[in-house]
């Protein structure tokens, strides 16, 4: 028995040293311990509630790139980066090697084959068709009039109502409704009117929220576990299935109504070169000889197209606007400077409306600054096809996951300077007063390379119009005592919204 006991003692001492070194040794400036078998998952779970700021520390302490190890065989290993050189390499120079990949499509399966989830030839067809439609005069007219009327007949009356009542309102909810109505009109031509004084709950919007939450949980659970929950119809997966059914039902309604509308007004529409047109109409009438992989006769294709567009355009703009107004409440000097710029710019709605908005250089800088600190899409996920070496020297194996950390990128001192954490719109303005250009792989909020956001112009116009309208006509006070923090999610929203009170201004 003696030799057995000795072996036992030896194993016990060995285990003690291993676990002691993991438990009590400072993890070499890496902030995450790599445990045997379970990898860094336990430490990640401990910091999950503050994961955004954690990635800032992690990447700043690791020369902007860090290799995360998940539990063995859980498929959770990933390379995190906020290095602009790596980002440029992944999103532009070696674009063809970095795809969304089957893992992404799996997690985002409710969105089917829309532009956000697809790769390769199908994505190229979708991208080209979107570009042609979005740049067409018919859509541009439609988009301009939609933005203007939602502001005038939707947002302003609602803000007036809350100003009269004097009751607190969640500004994030208001912006979410405003952008939901706008993107739904742009894509389907129908107005869900979620931005009404009654503030009713829209089932489509609710389903999108449930899916957003479910997708987040799919990112932090091992794949086999959420697949099992999905199969059992359990927890978040049950909600995802219900949301999916809502998407199918509501989209089918929009699609059949649109097909009827086109059929009934065929003669008129064919001759209506000067008219404005929503995207669903354009997709149904698509010239498929140019886009061989797109099939507008298939309702599933149209369903996925509607969903992808709403996913891309709703919460992103609402999140950016909410953080922007909160940052203004924290930085009254910036608010005053924007108001002065508005006074000194002729903003009468005219043919030159867009040119006039473009003159608001400081406002533009303030919006970019808000999105630098609070990028609406805080993480980007890519999968490598072949093995590769990044400019930082890190090796990326074939079929491995790379996470681009946009939130951390916007706060890296080595990228933005010692004042990186401060809200300073001035950093966007040159000495001669013109806008300072920052490369998209450094200011990544609208993505970079061939998959750059297609709605950037619409979003910037919409945000400027809303900012001008509100800053000219209202005073916003943020209700005191709220904890402002980002929610862990696909979009960087505020966890508990932004409660404000609003009052009418007599003059600017
Ligand atoms: C402040 C508002 C917005 C921000 C910050 C933003 C940001 C982004 C980002 C980061 C991506 C890349 C996503 C990825 O590849 O995973 C993206 C893609 C896209 N965005 Fe936006 N977006 C905004 C508003 C909009 C709006 C209003 C629309 C539509 C009207 C839109 C349409 C799209 C589309 C269609 C794509 C897919 C492009 C592709 O994969 O080729 N976005 N956007």
């Amino acid at each position: 028995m003696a030799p057995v006991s000795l072996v036992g003692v030896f194993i016990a001492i060995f285990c003690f040293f291993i676990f002691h070194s993991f438990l009590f040794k400072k993890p070499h400036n890496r902030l995450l311990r790599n445990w045997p078998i379970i990898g860094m998952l336990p430490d990640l779970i401990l910091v999950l509630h503050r994961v955004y700021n954690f990635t800032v520390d992690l990447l700043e302490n690791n020369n902007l790139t860090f290799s995360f190890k998940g539990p063995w065989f859980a498929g959770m290993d990933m390379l995190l980066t906020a290095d602009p050189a790596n980002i440029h390499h992944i999103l532009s120079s070696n674009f063809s090697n970095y795809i969304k990949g089957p893992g992404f499509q799996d997690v985002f399966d409710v969105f089917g084959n829309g532009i956000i989830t697809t790769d390769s030839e199908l994505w190229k067809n979708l991208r080209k068709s979107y570009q042609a439609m979005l740049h067409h005069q018919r859509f541009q007219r439609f988009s301009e009039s939609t933005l203007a009327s939602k502001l005038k007949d939707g947002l302003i009356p609602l803000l007036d109502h809350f100003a009269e009542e004097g009751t607190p309102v969640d500004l994030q909810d208001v912006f979410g409704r405003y952008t939901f109505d706008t993107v739904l009109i742009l894509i389907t031509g129908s107005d869900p009117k979620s931005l009404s004084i009654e503030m009713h709950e829209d089932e489509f919007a609710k389903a999108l929220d449930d899916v957003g939450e479910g997708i987040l949980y799919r990112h932090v659970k091992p794949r086999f576990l959420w697949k099992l929950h999905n199969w059992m119809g359990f927890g978040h997966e049950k909600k995802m299935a219900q949301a999916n059914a809502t998407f199918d039902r509501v989209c089918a309604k929009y699609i059949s109504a649109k097909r009827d509308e086109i059929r009934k007004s065929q003669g008129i529409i064919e001759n209506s070169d000067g008219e404005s047109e929503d995207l669903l109409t354009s997709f149904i009438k698509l010239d498929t000889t140019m886009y061989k992989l797109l099939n507008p006769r298939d309702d599933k294709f149209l369903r996925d197209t509607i969903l992808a567009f709403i996913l891309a355009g709703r919460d992103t703009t609402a999140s950016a606007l909410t953080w922007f107004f909160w940052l203004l409440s924290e930085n009254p000097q910036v608010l005053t400077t924007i108001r002065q710029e508005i006074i000194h710019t002729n903003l009468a709605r005219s043919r030159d409306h867009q040119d006039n908005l473009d003159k608001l250089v400081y406002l533009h800088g303030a919006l970019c600054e808000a999105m630098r600190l609070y990028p609406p899409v805080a993480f980007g996920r890519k999968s490598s096809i072949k093995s590769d070496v990044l400019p930082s020297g890190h090796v990326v194996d074939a079929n491995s996951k790379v996470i681009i950390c946009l939130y951390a990128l916007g706060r890296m001192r080595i990228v933005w300077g010692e004042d990186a954490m401060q809200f300073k719109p001035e950093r966007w303005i040159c000495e001669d007063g013109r806008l300072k250009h920052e490369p998209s792989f450094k200011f990544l909020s609208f993505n970079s390379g061939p998959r750059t956001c297609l709605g950037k112009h619409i979003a910037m116009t919409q945000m400027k119009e809303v900012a001008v309208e509100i800053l000219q006509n209202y005073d916003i006070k943020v209700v005191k005592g709220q904890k402002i923090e980002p929610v862990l999610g696909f979009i960087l929203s505020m966890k508990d919204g932004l409660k404000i009170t609003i009052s009418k201004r007599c003059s600017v």
Side-chain angles (χ1 to χ4, degrees):
M1 294 299 284
V4 174
S5 305
L6 264 181
V7 170
V9 169
F10 177 75
I11 290 174
I13 292 172
F14 181 72
C15 290
F16 171 79
F17 276 116
I18 294 270
F19 280 98
H20 185 274
S21 72
F22 279 108
L23 272 176
F24 300 111
K25 213 168 129 191
K26 246 186 129 209
H28 299 299
N29 205 17
R30 285 187 343 227
L31 306 163
L32 287 175
R33 293 179 191 85
N34 191 7
W35 297 87
I37 304 169
I38 47 179
M40 299 174 182
L41 187 61
D43 283 24
L44 176 66
I45 291 169
L46 288 178
V47 296
L48 212 51
H49 63 286
R50 55 176 189 94
V51 72
Y52 298 112
N53 287 328
F54 178 76
T55 56
V56 176
D57 294 342
L58 182 75
L59 294 170
E60 198 143 54
N61 281 300
N62 287 278
N63 294 328
L64 310 185
T65 303
F66 180 81
S67 180
F68 175 87
K69 300 283 171 214
W72 292 359
F73 309 116
M76 289 181 79
D77 288 4
M78 53 192 136
L79 192 74
L80 308 176
T81 190
D83 181 338
N86 287 350
I87 293 169
H88 181 54
H89 178 85
I90 294 164
L91 298 180
S92 294
S93 4
N94 203 5
F95 173 75
S96 58
N97 192 48
Y98 293 92
I99 56 172
K100 296 276 171 120
F104 187 92
Q105 278 143 14
D106 212 17
V107 168
F108 284 78
D109 58 0
V110 280
F111 291 102
N113 288 320
I115 187 166
I116 298 286
T117 40
T118 45
D119 287 307
S120 61
E121 287 307 308
L122 178 56
W123 166 74
K124 275 189 198 155
N125 272 228
L126 280 164
R127 175 113 192 157
K128 277 198 185 134
S129 61
Y130 262 113
Q131 272 170 327
M133 287 173 200
L134 293 174
H135 290 130
H136 200 286
Q137 277 206 335
R138 276 198 299 260
F139 179 74
Q140 302 228 323
R141 265 193 291 267
F142 184 61
S143 147
E144 208 176 290
S145 64
T146 302
L147 296 194
S149 69
K150 251 301 140 195
L151 187 62
K152 185 168 144 283
D153 307 325
L155 191 62
I156 296 173
L158 189 69
L159 295 180
D160 283 346
H161 167 77
F162 285 115
E164 248 169 57
E165 297 260 298
T167 47
V169 56
D170 177 359
L171 195 60
Q172 180 167 263
D173 183 32
V174 170
F175 286 149
R177 289 164 184 272
Y178 168 63
T179 53
F180 175 64
D181 287 3
T182 314
V183 283
L184 205 82
I185 299 172
L186 292 183
I187 183 84
T188 66
S190 300
D191 185 353
K193 294 197 168 78
S194 75
L195 190 73
S196 58
I197 287 168
E198 300 77 42
M199 305 269 273
H200 67 263
E201 188 176 82
D202 184 279
E203 60 170 341
F204 198 173
K206 165 86 174 47
L208 283 162
D209 292 341
D210 288 345
V211 163
E213 208 180 313
I215 285 176
L216 170 75
Y217 279 93
R218 285 182 176 185
H219 274 97
V220 291
K221 276 183 200 165
R223 185 171 176 272
F224 77 87
L225 192 61
W226 69 256
K227 282 274 175 193
L228 181 70
H229 288 176
N230 180 282
W231 180 74
M232 288 161 57
F234 174 74
H236 289 289
E237 291 299 323
K238 185 176 172 188
K239 276 195 187 172
M240 296 270 277
Q242 287 163 346
N244 202 7
T246 306
F247 290 159
D248 286 349
R249 186 165 37 78
V250 178
C251 288
K253 199 180 72 188
Y254 287 129
I255 294 162
S256 79
K258 187 58 68 185
R259 287 200 196 282
D260 280 355
E261 188 187 310
I262 292 174
R263 218 172 292 124
K264 281 183 198 146
S265 55
Q266 206 116 43
I268 307 167
I269 284 178
E270 269 165 17
N271 299 324
S272 64
D273 246 19
E275 294 286 312
S276 61
E277 189 170 276
D278 60 74
L279 290 175
L280 186 55
T281 305
S282 308
F283 269 108
I284 292 177
K285 297 195 298 176
L286 193 71
D287 176 0
T288 45
T289 54
M290 291 168 76
Y291 311 104
K292 297 225 178 320
L293 297 179
L294 308 187
N295 181 6
R297 278 187 300 272
D298 178 6
D299 283 5
K300 170 77 168 67
F301 163 75
L302 297 175
R303 172 226 183 256
D304 294 351
T305 303
I306 295 174
L307 280 179
F309 195 75
I310 296 171
L311 176 70
R314 179 185 80 141
D315 287 341
T316 43
T317 315
S319 152
L321 277 170
T322 310
W323 288 108
F324 170 74
F325 276 98
W326 175 70
L327 284 163
L328 291 190
S329 74
E330 295 281 297
N331 296 274
Q333 185 48 46
V334 174
L335 174 75
T336 308
T337 312
I338 298 176
R339 279 192 170 139
Q340 279 164 356
E341 183 178 59
I342 295 172
I343 294 174
H344 295 123
T345 313
N346 171 20
L347 287 170
R349 196 169 259 284
S350 63
R351 275 183 169 275
D352 305 328
H353 178 61
Q354 186 61 50
D355 292 348
N356 289 338
L357 284 182
D358 290 345
K359 286 181 199 149
L360 299 170
V361 173
Y362 191 80
L363 172 62
H364 188 102
L367 286 165
C368 290
E369 186 66 349
M371 286 185 282
R372 174 183 72 84
L373 288 168
Y374 295 98
V377 180
F379 293 104
R381 176 182 160 151
K382 289 280 172 183
S383 180
S384 56
I385 299 176
K386 290 191 255 166
S387 71
D388 189 22
V389 181
L390 297 181
S392 62
H394 290 81
V395 175
V396 178
D397 294 328
N399 300 315
S400 60
K401 227 184 284 171
V402 181
I403 305 291
I404 297 173
C405 301
L406 285 83
Y407 183 91
L409 170 65
R411 288 159 189 254
M412 290 292 111
R413 278 174 297 181
I414 196 165
V415 179
W416 293 98
E418 282 307 309
D419 59 359
M421 300 299 259
Q422 290 169 32
F423 178 64
K424 278 172 97 174
E426 291 74 18
R427 79 174 82 238
W428 293 89
I429 297 162
C430 302
E431 272 177 13
D432 64 3
R434 280 180 306 145
L435 259 177
K436 192 169 166 190
H437 172 76
E438 292 290 2
S440 55
F441 51 86
K442 176 178 171 191
F443 174 59
L444 193 62
S445 296
F446 289 104
N447 214 17
S448 181
R451 287 195 92 132
T452 294
C453 173
L454 283 167
K456 179 177 174 183
H457 180 71
I458 295 177
M460 287 306 291
T461 304
Q462 186 171 24
M463 290 191 291
K464 284 182 193 170
E465 286 181 346
V466 169
V468 168
E469 191 64 44
I470 292 184
L471 296 177
Q472 268 184 327
N473 299 309
Y474 304 91
D475 278 318
I476 283 184
K477 278 207 175 71
V478 170
V479 173
K480 290 213 164 62
Q482 305 177 67
K483 193 167 178 201
I484 303 296
E485 56 182 332
V487 69
L488 187 56
F490 177 60
I491 299 289
L492 192 81
S493 305
M494 284 187 190
K495 193 170 173 192
D496 301 309
L498 182 65
K499 308 276 178 317
I500 55 127
T501 53
I502 188 161
S503 53
K504 280 281 242 187
R505 279 167 72 80
C506 301
S507 60
V508 182

